[in-house]
Amino acid sequence: MIRSLLLTCAMAVPAMAETPLPFKLGGAFELTNQFGETRTEADPDGNPQLLFFGYVNCQEICSAVFPMLGQVVDTLEEKGIDVTPVLITVDPKRDTVDTMEEPLAVHHPDFVGLTGSAEALQVAYDAYSIETEEVFYDPEFGPVLAHGSFVYLLDAEGKFLTLVPPIVSPEQAAGIVEKYVGETS
């Protein structure tokens, strides 16, 4: 039922229409990427963005979403559409400027990892209604965190366009993105 509703919301609205959701998502934030550079919600290269909240050593939903995002970016690139995959960490103690680059690059060389102070991250969490909770401690991987699993499609300026369910195939996800951004990127 929920999967059906999410797919309907993400796929039914034509490009550039108002969000199909009954609530507001998105907003300004200023964080630091894996290279130590300041990054806001706007993509500096002018690309639409696939935004996900998670952490690089997550063995749960992130381990499925990260490779899916890389595949979506490659699929869209073949169609002449450039999209930037972006992670905002929910685990800033472990996801730092020094630790994010290599794990994210495994999934796609264009993956952007964002971290920052607790206050700066909270601004982004609040904009997307993100809540995080430690659910247990794994002796091998450390704290395991519960967090949201949606992928947010943003335009180049950082405006929220729609949700992309993390449970669809990369081809379906690329189709959703293409309906919103077409070949304008």
Side-chain angles (χ1 to χ4, degrees), residues 34-50:
Q34 70 264 40
F35 305 109
E37 303 162 337
T38 298
R39 172 81 185 251
T40 68
E41 71 283 354
D43 184 87
D45 296 323
N47 295 330
Q49 304 162 84
L50 289 166

Side-chain angles (χ1 to χ4, degrees), residues 1 28 49 53-55 68 71 86 91 98 104 124 133 147 174 180 184:
M1 171 70 173
Q49 304 162 84
F53 290 83
Y55 57 109
M68 186 268 283
Q71 292 171 3
V86 179
D91 188 2
D98 298 326
L104 290 175
E133 178 181 355
H147 58 87
Y180 281 83
T184 61

Side-chain angles (χ1 to χ4, degrees), residues 64-158:
V65 172
F66 293 161
M68 186 268 283
L69 290 176
Q71 292 171 3
V72 170
V73 170
D74 288 342
T75 298
L76 290 167
E77 186 176 54
E78 291 172 4
K79 296 179 178 193
I81 302 169
D82 293 327
V83 178
T84 303
V86 179
L87 164 71
I88 294 181
T89 186
V90 297
D91 188 2
K93 290 180 183 171
R94 293 184 288 176
D95 287 352
T96 66
V97 169
D98 298 326
T99 63
M100 288 190 298
E101 180 181 3
E102 188 176 320
L104 290 175
V106 166
H107 301 293
H108 200 278
D110 295 336
F111 224 121
V112 174
L114 299 176
T115 190
S117 68
E119 297 80 17
L121 285 165
Q122 192 62 52
V123 169
Y125 301 159
D126 289 346
Y128 290 89
S129 299
I130 300 298
E131 295 181 14
T132 303
E133 178 181 355
E134 183 176 331
V135 289
F136 65 91
Y137 187 86
D138 181 298
E140 183 177 354
F141 298 105
V144 175
L145 306 173
H147 58 87
S149 60
F150 288 111
V151 176
Y152 304 87
L153 176 60
L154 310 180
D155 68 13
E157 290 77 39

Side-chain angles (χ1 to χ4, degrees), residues 57-68:
N57 75 336
C58 173
Q59 300 302 302
E60 304 304 325
I61 188 69
C62 299
S63 66
V65 172
F66 293 161
M68 186 268 283

